[in-house]
Amino acid sequence: MDIESIGIVGAGQMGNGIAHVCALAGYDVLLNDVRPEALEEAVALIRRNLDRQVSRGKVADTDRDAAMARIRTTLTLTDLGPKDLVIEAATEREDVKHAIFAELVPALGKQTILTSNTSSISITRLASRTDRPERFMGFHFMNPVPVMQLVELIRGIATDDATYAACHGVVERLGKTAATAEDFPAFIVNRILMPMINEAVYTLYEGVGNVNSIDQAMKLGTNHPMGPLELADFIGLDTCLAIMNVLHDGLGDTKYRPCPLLTKYVEAGWLGRKTQRGFYDYRGETPQPTR
Ligand code: CAA
């Protein structure tokens, strides 16, 4: 099946990045959110990120303008119905995702492929609540979407080969590389990454190191572009905690128990960069460690 038009649910951190790369690859994009300000901010941010790519010689200015012209926005979820592919990138909460699919599914074209950018929730369970488990799969982008090369493709138990092939074709047209994962809690990237981040928080909690020493150790000692605590702030501490809970509940092994300090930061509303405070405080000129 040929995919030419893509509907994206959610204009947040992931949704706007997905709209950016899809429009740049020549797809018609319709971006949906419940908040008009979120749509306005997303379009402005896509423009700024494209400008940055133009100024670094990565994108031609004519391609930036063509990409911007391919992005439309809507507050009405069901407007996404006629698209060839829908990528849901709303809040990482299962009840929210089920509610979105319940409203969207009656409006979908018969052939539309429905996907979720979920970073950890069961694809099979999400699919089972729709009318098209065979045309449903996980389409998991990494943050920041315009920079990261990987897309994780996750097949639910019922996903058919044509759906997988169509999604794989989209990843190739985006110029990215697909890694295929089976549908088990947190798939591949987060199954490995989140326990590492959680362990970094335990290392902080137990006083083995402070924020600076832990991040520096991992950056300089293992050549990671960001330390694990800086990366946790970048991803969002609420998202990290939610994924640890999915691993803990789904696999039932105590090695996945979320660190109490991670829970405490989330309880404080210190969610990382998006709230200006997490393991670092971003309110000043340069980020300051909070421990
Ligand atoms: N849009 C477009 N371009 C962007 C961008 C954006 N949003 N953000 C950064 N860039 C570009 C910059 O323009 C720059 O381009 P050049 O190489 O041409 O100069 C390049 O990316 C590097 O950016 P910066 O120079 O600003 O900063 P940096 O060198 O510190 O790199 C980073 C920033 C790319 C984010 C890097 O620190 C990094 O790779 N960090 C790790 C990110 C990571 O691990 N992401 C995965 C998280 S896990 C996940 O997403 C899954 C999940 O479900 C939680």
Side-chain angles (χ1 to χ4, degrees):
M1 171 181 184
D2 258 3
I3 308 284
E4 287 306 329
S5 60
I6 300 182
I8 298 164
V9 185
Q13 187 167 262
M14 298 307 287
N16 82 66
I18 298 168
H20 172 140
V21 296
C22 290
L24 205 52
Y27 292 107
D28 278 327
V29 171
L30 184 57
L31 183 60
N32 160 259
D33 202 286
V34 284
R35 292 189 308 119
E37 320 81 72
L39 290 172
E40 281 163 30
E41 283 160 22
V43 170
L45 186 60
I46 294 169
R47 172 80 206 197
R48 282 204 300 281
N49 283 331
L50 281 166
D51 282 345
R52 167 149 68 158
Q53 289 177 307
V54 170
S55 69
R56 308 224 184 188
K58 298 238 156 116
V59 170
D61 52 1
T62 47
D63 290 341
R64 172 199 57 202
D65 296 344
M68 287 307 297
R70 282 188 209 105
I71 300 174
R72 288 182 305 113
T73 62
T74 179
L75 290 166
T76 309
L77 178 62
T78 48
D79 286 350
L80 271 47
K83 300 295 159 198
D84 300 328
L85 168 69
V86 172
I87 304 174
E88 172 277 317
T91 310
E92 187 67 353
R93 274 183 32 209
E94 193 162 339
D95 56 334
V96 172
K97 295 185 190 295
H98 284 310
I100 288 168
F101 294 140
E103 187 182 340
L104 179 61
V105 160
L108 290 179
K110 206 166 150 289
Q111 292 308 316
T112 300
I113 293 177
L114 187 54
T115 66
S116 174
N117 179 57
T118 178
S119 46
S120 59
I121 298 170
S122 164
I123 296 302
T124 302
R125 202 163 59 231
L126 290 175
S128 73
R129 302 270 290 263
T130 73
D131 65 343
R132 59 194 67 212
E134 64 292 341
R135 283 193 304 289
F136 190 104
M137 60 183 288
F139 208 123
H140 182 214
F141 288 84
M142 307 296 131
N143 186 22
V145 178
V147 180
M148 304 301 284
Q149 278 307 302
L150 185 77
V151 176
E152 231 176 352
L153 289 180
I154 306 107
R155 298 181 72 143
I157 202 164
T159 308
D160 66 24
D161 290 344
T163 298
Y164 175 79
C167 289
H168 199 277
V170 173
V171 175
E172 283 180 346
R173 183 158 152 194
L174 297 178
K176 297 195 183 287
T177 302
T180 306
E182 292 298 321
D183 182 26
F184 289 102
F187 320 129
I188 296 173
V189 171
N190 284 324
R191 171 82 177 257
I192 298 169
L193 177 65
M194 286 303 156
M196 185 197 75
I197 286 177
N198 194 47
E199 200 58 32
V201 185
Y202 269 111
T203 310
L204 180 66
Y205 175 65
E206 290 168 8
V208 181
N210 61 25
V211 168
N212 270 338
S213 60
I214 292 166
D215 273 353
Q216 208 159 66
M218 292 306 286
K219 268 201 315 208
L220 302 182
T222 63
N223 263 5
H224 289 189
M226 287 177 167
L229 301 172
E230 187 189 359
L231 181 57
D233 276 358
F234 182 68
I235 292 167
L237 303 191
D238 51 342
T239 302
C240 295
L241 180 60
I243 298 171
M244 284 313 296
N245 280 325
V246 166
L247 283 167
H248 197 218
D249 296 345
L251 298 167
D253 191 324
T254 54
K255 75 178 175 181
Y256 298 116
R257 70 203 186 284
C259 179
L261 185 61
L262 179 61
T263 306
K264 199 180 290 294
Y265 270 78
V266 173
E267 284 171 349
W270 292 14
L271 307 182
R273 280 204 199 172
K274 63 185 165 190
T275 57
Q276 301 243 303
R277 234 184 318 184
F279 293 112
Y280 295 84
D281 186 334
Y282 299 91
R283 291 171 300 171
E285 282 272 293
T286 51
Q288 295 299 322
T290 54
R291 284 177 99 82

